[in-house]
Amino acid sequence: MDCAKGRAVADLYDEVMVEILSRVPVKDLRRCTCVCKSWRNLITDPLNRKKLPQTLEGFFHGVVGGPHSYGQFTSLSGSGERVAPVDPSFSFITAMLPGVERMVLLDSCNGLLLFGCTREDKFGYIVTNPATEELMTVPASSGSCPLPPPFERDMVGGERYAHTFLMFNPAVSSHFHLVQIWENKAAKEVETVHSYSSETKAWSDRSSKWGRGEEGGEWELWGESVIGFMCGWTLVDGLLHFLAFDLQKEETVIIAVDGDGETRRIIGWHGKDVRAIVFIGESQDHLHCIGVNVQLDQGSEVRFTRMSIWVLEDYDTQAWILKHNVSSLQFFELLSHPIKDFHIVAIHPYHNSFILIQHWNQKLVSYNMDTQELHGLGTLGKGYAVITPYIPCFLESSVLATKH
């Protein structure tokens, strides 16, 4: 009897500890494995894996406009493995939502995925957790809302786009936000910003804050800016960060907005002898920028000569600290390399590494800043266009539904 009671108490202790550890960030969870043997056994037990915080598993990818615009997965392990932690065809979505004609994977954030879709000739969005097969549909922000770039490429014109970003932090709330930026490429300006909250289940229109030339409005804060949508975006301290180039001041800034789409911070980039910023991301709780020095060859092709990684150590003073420096000779074994031949897709959230695509051979590779080595992860194949990082989240949601 005493033995049974002792086992019951031990099992209860394990359950409580796993529940506590499930709320600990990944980097701290790893430190917890060094506390004692019992904690290490709890954390490494495969039965507890789904209950604990996860890290970057790999990337969904596919061909925009093709029959498999997502459907493939490359693991970060680099073993050539393409077995995704979830079904990369997302067949549960079409089973739950009959009539979906087309889906394009637009964004991911801490385990949730954002799809743009057409259903019954209407455009809208799907937010889903593929690990739990839960989802929620979101209507378009308005009848005049432009389509996102993957859809608009199939249309005539393509001068106006709606870029929609997903914001979700399960450690803070089970609710998510969408921030949508309407871009007019012909006029080289942001038209307006909309936001959606899963809590209110409604879009908010910030058009009144975007009167062109109005003093005190958000247009004045951003000015005539071109958003660097191909240069990454990231969630840091609950704010969505992305790059913008101010055409009037001819300088790059980082804009941070909250879940309501309101501008909360504009972070300056003071040159640092870097010609251009090619990517921003979050790693180890800090905002990171990857910049390059470039030169023009005789054919006026832009070539990268040196790459540097910077970390924002202090938000208040906007102090950027150089974290790593690597030359093209070290990186590609060439004195310079065409900048269009590679594209950075992610900074690892917990390691000193980043992931990029080598366009000339369609390979996804990671670069380790500590060892200064490139490591092949897999070949994407021809025609790839959408590359989406994925961090699983196995927590069931009170916001998303398992049936619709």
Side-chain angles (χ1 to χ4, degrees):
M1 183 65 72
D2 290 340
C3 182
K5 286 183 178 180
R7 181 173 295 278
V9 171
D11 289 345
L12 179 61
Y13 170 82
D14 288 350
E15 290 178 13
V16 172
M17 282 305 304
V18 170
E19 184 67 22
I20 293 172
L21 292 170
S22 69
R23 289 162 169 76
V24 173
V26 170
K27 66 172 186 176
D28 295 327
L29 188 66
R30 290 181 176 176
R31 293 172 184 166
C32 289
T33 60
C34 302
V35 173
C36 63
K37 184 177 179 180
S38 61
W39 281 28
R40 184 179 70 248
N41 291 340
L42 276 178
I43 293 169
T44 57
D45 189 337
L47 295 176
N48 296 328
R49 177 179 177 269
K50 291 186 177 183
K51 301 175 184 178
L52 300 176
Q54 307 296 308
T55 188
L56 182 63
E57 283 279 344
F59 298 84
F60 294 110
H61 52 91
V63 181
V64 170
H68 304 291
S69 62
Y70 34 88
Q72 301 173 55
F73 185 84
T74 295
S75 170
L76 200 61
S77 68
S79 60
E81 177 187 5
R82 286 180 180 254
V83 179
V86 297
D87 175 12
S89 73
F90 308 113
S91 57
F92 71 92
I93 295 179
T94 52
M96 293 171 65
L97 300 173
V100 171
E101 298 163 1
R102 183 183 174 195
M103 297 195 311
V104 171
L105 184 53
L106 301 176
D107 198 9
S108 66
C109 188
N110 292 320
L112 297 191
L113 302 180
L114 172 67
F115 287 88
C117 72
T118 53
R119 187 184 185 198
E120 299 175 354
D121 295 326
K122 292 182 180 180
F123 177 78
Y125 300 94
I126 301 169
V127 176
T128 181
N129 183 340
T132 60
E133 298 193 352
E134 301 169 308
L135 61 77
M136 177 177 174
T137 57
V138 177
S141 57
S142 74
S144 60
C145 175
L147 294 174
F151 281 82
E152 189 69 21
R153 289 190 188 104
D154 295 341
M155 309 295 286
V156 178
E159 299 292 352
R160 298 172 69 242
Y161 302 106
H163 302 268
T164 307
F165 305 96
L166 176 62
M167 299 174 64
F168 173 65
N169 186 348
V172 175
S173 172
S174 57
H175 287 282
F176 65 85
H177 290 83
L178 302 179
V179 172
Q180 186 178 84
I181 300 174
W182 291 20
E183 178 195 23
N184 188 319
K185 290 186 71 69
K188 294 183 178 180
E189 68 176 15
V190 172
E191 293 183 355
T192 187
V193 174
H194 293 251
S195 64
Y196 178 88
S197 167
S198 63
E199 188 170 12
T200 62
K201 293 183 173 59
W203 285 95
S204 296
D205 184 354
R206 298 187 59 80
S207 298
S208 61
K209 305 290 185 181
W210 280 88
R212 182 179 177 88
E214 289 185 7
E215 293 187 6
E218 299 203 28
W219 185 91
E220 184 182 36
L221 286 175
W222 291 23
E224 294 185 14
S225 296
V226 176
I227 309 300
F229 292 109
M230 295 299 293
C231 298
W233 54 88
T234 188
L235 193 65
V236 182
D237 291 338
L239 299 178
L240 176 70
H241 294 67
F242 51 87
L243 280 176
F245 183 78
D246 191 314
L247 296 174
Q248 290 181 325
K249 298 179 181 178
E250 295 187 347
E251 65 180 17
T252 299
V253 296
I254 298 170
I255 298 174
V257 302
D258 61 19
D260 295 325
E262 182 177 350
T263 303
R264 291 296 185 180
R265 187 181 295 267
I266 295 181
I267 302 169
W269 175 256
H270 306 296
K272 308 294 184 185
D273 299 322
V274 173
R275 184 69 180 87
I277 300 176
V278 293
F279 196 81
I280 67 169
E282 182 271 339
S283 180
Q284 300 162 75
D285 298 327
H286 285 85
L287 182 65
H288 284 60
C289 280
I290 300 179
V292 293
N293 294 82
V294 296
Q295 65 181 23
L296 291 176
D297 64 11
Q298 294 181 346
S300 297
E301 184 176 49
V302 180
R303 301 180 71 91
F304 132 78
T305 58
R306 180 168 293 277
M307 183 181 297
S308 53
I309 294 84
W310 300 80
V311 57
L312 186 62
E313 287 285 357
D314 192 314
Y315 268 79
D316 294 328
T317 62
Q318 297 191 14
W320 291 96
I321 306 299
L322 179 63
K323 183 173 184 174
H324 186 72
N325 218 344
V326 59
S327 68
S328 174
L329 185 61
Q330 294 170 290
F331 205 78
F332 291 123
E333 298 182 349
L334 295 169
L335 289 175
S336 67
H337 200 88
I339 197 168
K340 63 180 177 62
D341 278 0
F342 68 92
H343 177 63
I344 298 170
V345 294
I347 298 175
H348 198 285
Y350 305 110
H351 300 158
N352 292 328
S353 63
F354 59 88
I355 298 91
L356 67 149
I357 305 169
Q358 298 177 161
H359 292 310
W360 67 87
N361 57 9
Q362 297 93 43
K363 286 188 178 297
L364 191 68
V365 301
S366 67
Y367 174 74
N368 188 308
M369 297 179 228
D370 297 326
T371 63
Q372 299 186 32
E373 293 177 335
L374 285 170
H375 177 59
L377 301 177
T379 302
L380 300 177
K382 295 182 179 180
Y384 59 87
V386 179
I387 311 291
T388 307
Y390 178 60
I391 299 174
C393 177
F394 295 99
L395 298 175
E396 293 186 351
S397 171
S398 59
V399 176
L400 307 178
T402 54
K403 59 182 179 179
H404 192 80

